[in-house]
Amino acid sequence: QSALTQPASVSGSPGQSITISCTGTSSDVGGYNYVSWYQQHPGKAPKLMIYDVSNRPSGVSNRFSGSKSGNTASLTISGLQAEDEADYYCSSYASSSTLVFGGGTKLTVL
Amino acid sequence: QLQLQESGPGLVKPSETLSLTCTVSGGSISRSSYYWGWIRQPPGKGLEWIGSIYYSGSTYYNPSLKSRVTISVDTSKNQFSLKLSSVTAADTAVYYCASQKGSTWIHLWPFDYWGQGTLVTVSS
């Protein structure tokens, strides 16, 4: 069970859009529509932002959207704001009834 | 709204067993469509799923930790617990408990509510 692959860092200016990728295999991301995304600010617990590839929990801004193509899932944040600066983690259900996380991506708002 | 709170020793000696408890408030741990999970995060590193449990006692574990992990539930106290045996310095991490709500067949649903986390250091 290997971790999903995310870029270590991404950056963007306020108002811009950014996309964070999350690459797995056919045994996890590619095999199931059960990818989630979490936002984590320093010293805080993670917060669920997207579940089941593209669904937003109640209260999460519609600036956050998710998608998937093959073995790669993506999180897009539009209209970047300073408060979006945080670490982002993807997670996927994987075969043999397990969960796997990505290594995390640090988003910097310039 | 659910609230979860981790509790347990912040320092554990190498080779001993790490024990943590998560107390759930704001709702019953026995509700259907909820699993309850443990996740850890070593300092400066990413998240790692440890395992999850249903109120009936049904469990799922991370294969890489399965031989050392036991997760149990006490419905009378609205708590679930984690035991990790034979710990080493590599087990030093912030340990989170979280709820997992869903309805699909996978059972390992997204983590929707999280505790604040508790740092456990393994050191002699």
Side-chain angles (χ1 to χ4, degrees), chain B residues 90-103:
Chain B
D91 295 309
T92 294
V94 173
Y95 286 76
Y96 294 99
C97 60
S99 61
Q100 298 172 265
K101 180 182 179 182
S103 59

Side-chain angles (χ1 to χ4, degrees), chain B residues 47-113:
Chain B
L47 301 169
E48 180 179 34
W49 171 67
I50 300 170
S52 300
I53 191 166
Y54 195 57
Y55 75 90
S56 64
S58 174
T59 54
Y60 295 98
Y61 293 131
N62 185 325
S64 66
L65 298 170
K66 187 174 183 177
S67 64
R68 299 194 293 130
V69 172
T70 301
I71 297 176
S72 58
V73 63
D74 186 336
T75 56
S76 67
K77 294 181 179 180
N78 231 34
Q79 296 176 333
F80 62 106
S81 298
L82 168 69
K83 290 187 185 298
L84 180 65
S85 64
S86 305
V87 297
T88 69
D91 295 309
T92 294
V94 173
Y95 286 76
Y96 294 99
C97 60
S99 61
Q100 298 172 265
K101 180 182 179 182
S103 59
T104 59
W105 60 273
I106 64 169
H107 294 167
L108 294 176
W109 304 307
F111 299 103
D112 53 353
Y113 289 99

Side-chain angles (χ1 to χ4, degrees), chain A residues 55-76:
Chain A
N55 294 315
R56 276 188 312 275
S58 174
V60 172
S61 170
N62 59 9
R63 297 186 299 105
F64 292 83
S65 62
S67 62
K68 192 187 83 167
S69 177
N71 295 337
T72 299
S74 298
L75 172 71
T76 298

Side-chain angles (χ1 to χ4, degrees), chain A:
Chain A
Q1 182 187 18
S2 300
L4 306 175
T5 300
Q6 298 181 232
S9 63
V10 298
S11 62
S13 299
Q16 288 185 332
S17 295
I18 63 94
T19 296
I20 300 172
S21 62
C22 171
T23 302
T25 69
S26 58
S27 296
D28 38 63
V29 174
Y32 309 94
N33 289 322
Y34 296 121
V35 176
S36 301
W37 288 91
Y38 299 88
Q39 176 193 64
Q40 186 180 35
H41 287 110
K44 300 294 187 182
K47 175 186 177 182
L48 179 65
M49 305 302 285
I50 296 286
Y51 67 96
D52 295 354
V53 176
S54 60
N55 294 315
R56 276 188 312 275
S58 174
V60 172
S61 170
N62 59 9
R63 297 186 299 105
F64 292 83
S65 62
S67 62
K68 192 187 83 167
S69 177
N71 295 337
T72 299
S74 298
L75 172 71
T76 298
I77 308 174
S78 60
L80 265 182
Q81 300 179 0
E83 67 206 48
D84 300 332
E85 185 163 295
D87 293 328
Y88 290 85
Y89 294 91
C90 62
S91 175
S92 174
Y93 176 81
S95 57
S96 302
S97 296
T98 60
L99 281 174
V100 60
F101 280 97
T105 298
K106 180 177 179 61
L107 169 62
T108 300
V109 180
L110 302 171

